Amino acid sequence: MSTPTTAPEPAPGDRRSPWSRTVRRTADGSLAVGGRDVRDIAAEHGTPVYVLDESDLRARARTFVTAFRDAFADLAGADVYYASKAFASVAVLRWVHEEGMHVDVSTGGELAVALRAGVPGQALALHGNNKSDAELERALRAGVGRIVLDSLGEVDRVADLAGRLGLRAPVMVRVTTGVHAGGHDYISTAHEDQKFGLSLAGGAARAAVDAVLARPELTLLGLHSHIGSQILDLSGFEVAAAALLRLRAEVADQTGTLMPELDLGGGYGISYTGADAPPAPDRVATTLADVVRRASAELGTPPPRVSVEPGRAVAGPAGLTLYRVGTVKPVVLDGGGERRYVSVDGGMSDNIRTALYDAEYTAALANRRSTAPAVLSRVVGKHCESGDIVVRDVLLPADVAPGDLLAVPATGAYGRSMASNYNLVPRPGVLAVRDGQSRFVVRPESEEDLLALDLG
């Protein structure tokens, strides 16, 4: 059994808080977000529903942009890309671009949303370990600012396609640095035994660089690294950055080509339960700037322009999921203890991360304040799976009852983006709130949507 959490009360500006900055308790004890009472949201829009705090998300995007601009002002500058896999919608990609961010995409669908949002091609980066020819062609025709090459075979594929289109493709080489960072093994992406990137230790990364330099249809911008996700310790970024800078210097010494850019990826962690203290953007920026400054000086090479790719750290804390309680069931545990199962009207179809990664979340009674004693509870969904768990262990008031509202914070990233129609449950909509107003930026699905896809 994991250590049960009690949802911390909203604390605007506290890095440990899993709640967005505008979440408050009203005078009569309900939660409000973006100036809207969750009881009104539930009555007007139904549950479950993803609630996205627009002003909070914009502020987080702006903070990253400012932090990296300032930290790298005496170097060659820095760009901040929003990792759209965390959550992409036309509105959200428009917001982050308006706040100064670029956008990275990893599929044709994400690219289509970014282009619909008005993000110019030059501000886009295309990732992916298995890009299709159609995705590559669309990216090249859109004038994307970079294509991140993920395999040796992709070098010639992109070069040949660019040649047919009469274009010169800007590319980066994704390097597997051997740094293992982050939470679950499934979200740690720089150890050798995984699908992403080209090995630094095995020589594949250098071979890819040489292959790019041999193709006149390609422009080598630089090297790319992404070491994992939900990272709270910055030391892994420091090691990876130093390794990339050494490879950059080696290539410059041996070929005469000094790559102008370096992308250090993203994966910065957030607080899901209030127990973690994620690094602030300005600390991330100054830490990376110090590494680049120091390593460049030691290697005798001019510093590169640096880019990073936060996604979860921008969208995650800006969102919460609002559920309505259904069945409440006490269960006797081995050893004589008791856990209460609190079933809600969503579940693993709107948040798969607990089942997939053993991710930790917390939950709070949202429609009222309670003075009842806290009891060990497990928040579960309505799906036909015993692993359909939203919050594994949380202390909730003993009087939580059918009809109450529960809010699960920090679901702005990887909630809607990983949602499914398991058990043919329609996916919830994404409701943006700001200054007392609300609107769906992604509408909720209906049974009619599901049936429309079924050709019978």
Side-chain angles (χ1 to χ4, degrees):
M1 183 178 69
S2 60
T3 303
T5 63
T6 302
E9 285 298 300
D14 182 355
R15 286 189 296 115
R16 289 182 179 269
S17 176
W19 302 100
S20 68
R21 290 174 173 88
T22 70
V23 174
R24 304 284 191 277
R25 284 279 179 192
T26 66
D28 55 359
S30 67
L31 287 179
V33 55
R36 292 224 61 195
D37 193 307
V38 297
R39 295 171 299 185
D40 296 333
I41 289 174
E44 183 176 345
H45 302 293
T47 57
V49 60
Y50 301 111
V51 183
L52 193 61
D53 186 339
E54 178 184 347
S55 64
D56 181 90
L57 191 150
R58 283 181 176 272
R60 293 177 191 276
R62 195 162 53 247
T63 298
F64 266 104
V65 171
T66 301
F68 275 85
R69 180 197 64 202
D70 293 348
F72 284 81
D74 66 326
L75 299 172
D79 299 304
V80 182
Y81 285 74
Y82 173 68
S84 66
K85 67 175 185 172
F87 175 61
S89 76
V90 171
V92 166
L93 297 192
R94 185 172 62 246
W95 296 345
V96 297
H97 183 60
E98 288 173 351
E99 299 301 338
M101 299 185 84
H102 297 334
V103 175
D104 82 51
V105 299
S106 57
T107 66
E110 291 175 355
L111 176 59
V113 171
L115 294 173
R116 176 69 63 87
V119 182
Q122 187 59 35
L124 295 173
L126 177 65
H127 288 263
N129 69 298
N130 189 31
K131 308 175 193 72
S132 70
D133 287 345
E135 288 171 330
L136 289 169
E137 180 172 348
R138 186 173 191 181
L140 287 169
R141 290 186 182 277
V144 297
R146 61 182 60 171
I147 294 174
V148 181
L149 302 176
D150 203 86
S151 65
L152 280 168
E154 200 170 49
V155 176
D156 287 334
R157 286 181 60 220
V158 174
D160 291 345
L161 182 55
R164 289 198 300 272
L165 296 174
L167 302 171
R168 190 175 175 92
V171 300
M172 303 188 89
V173 173
R174 178 159 176 170
V175 179
T176 306
T177 60
V179 178
H180 186 132
H184 196 283
D185 279 349
Y186 288 176
I187 56 176
S188 298
T189 55
H191 53 90
E192 296 291 343
D193 188 12
Q194 49 88 35
K195 70 176 186 176
F196 292 110
L198 292 138
S199 172
L200 179 61
R206 176 59 195 271
V209 168
D210 291 339
V212 171
L213 292 175
R215 295 298 304 255
E217 305 94 334
L218 304 179
T219 298
L220 181 60
L221 295 180
L223 304 172
H224 178 284
S225 168
H226 183 74
I227 63 174
S229 293
Q230 187 52 16
I231 301 169
L232 301 172
D233 180 355
L234 298 178
S235 59
F237 292 107
E238 298 179 72
V239 175
L244 293 184
L245 287 164
R246 286 194 296 272
L247 176 58
R248 175 177 178 260
E250 173 190 297
V251 170
D253 181 61
Q254 296 177 2
T255 70
T257 298
L258 181 65
M259 291 173 271
E261 298 192 35
L262 200 70
D263 191 314
L264 299 178
Y268 314 123
I270 65 173
S271 179
Y272 280 99
T273 67
D276 294 315
D282 59 352
R283 182 178 159 227
V284 176
T286 55
T287 297
L288 296 183
D290 287 345
V291 173
V292 171
R293 185 181 295 107
R294 183 173 62 252
S296 297
E298 291 173 355
L299 293 164
T301 54
R305 186 172 184 87
V306 168
S307 49
V308 292
E309 301 168 356
R312 179 198 319 260
V314 174
L320 63 82
T321 308
L322 188 64
Y323 300 101
R324 193 173 295 278
V325 174
T327 302
V328 178
K329 182 190 301 183
V331 174
V332 177
L333 306 176
D334 294 339
E338 184 176 285
R339 179 190 285 115
R340 183 181 50 169
Y341 278 69
V342 179
S343 298
V344 296
D345 52 356
M348 64 191 302
S349 61
D350 59 71
N351 189 348
I352 191 64
R353 292 187 69 257
T354 305
L356 187 62
Y357 301 139
D358 285 330
E360 296 287 341
Y361 286 90
T362 190
L365 181 62
N367 58 303
R368 60 185 175 88
R369 184 179 283 111
S370 173
T371 58
V375 299
L376 179 64
S377 304
R378 176 163 291 174
V379 181
V380 297
K382 62 183 295 178
H383 298 284
C384 194
E385 291 283 342
S386 57
D388 178 24
I389 299 169
V390 179
V391 183
R392 194 169 303 281
D393 290 299
V394 62
L395 297 173
L396 290 173
D399 61 353
V400 167
D404 276 329
L405 297 174
L406 288 186
V408 176
T411 60
Y414 304 110
R416 180 60 173 78
S417 64
M418 297 179 77
S420 74
N421 291 126
Y422 184 48
N423 287 154
L424 290 180
V425 173
R427 289 176 294 180
V430 181
L431 187 76
V433 292
R434 183 177 183 179
D435 300 330
Q437 303 296 314
S438 61
R439 69 180 181 95
F440 277 115
V441 294
V442 178
R443 70 165 174 83
E445 288 180 335
S446 65
E447 290 180 356
E448 288 72 23
D449 292 318
L450 301 181
L451 292 170
L453 297 173
D454 191 328
L455 301 182

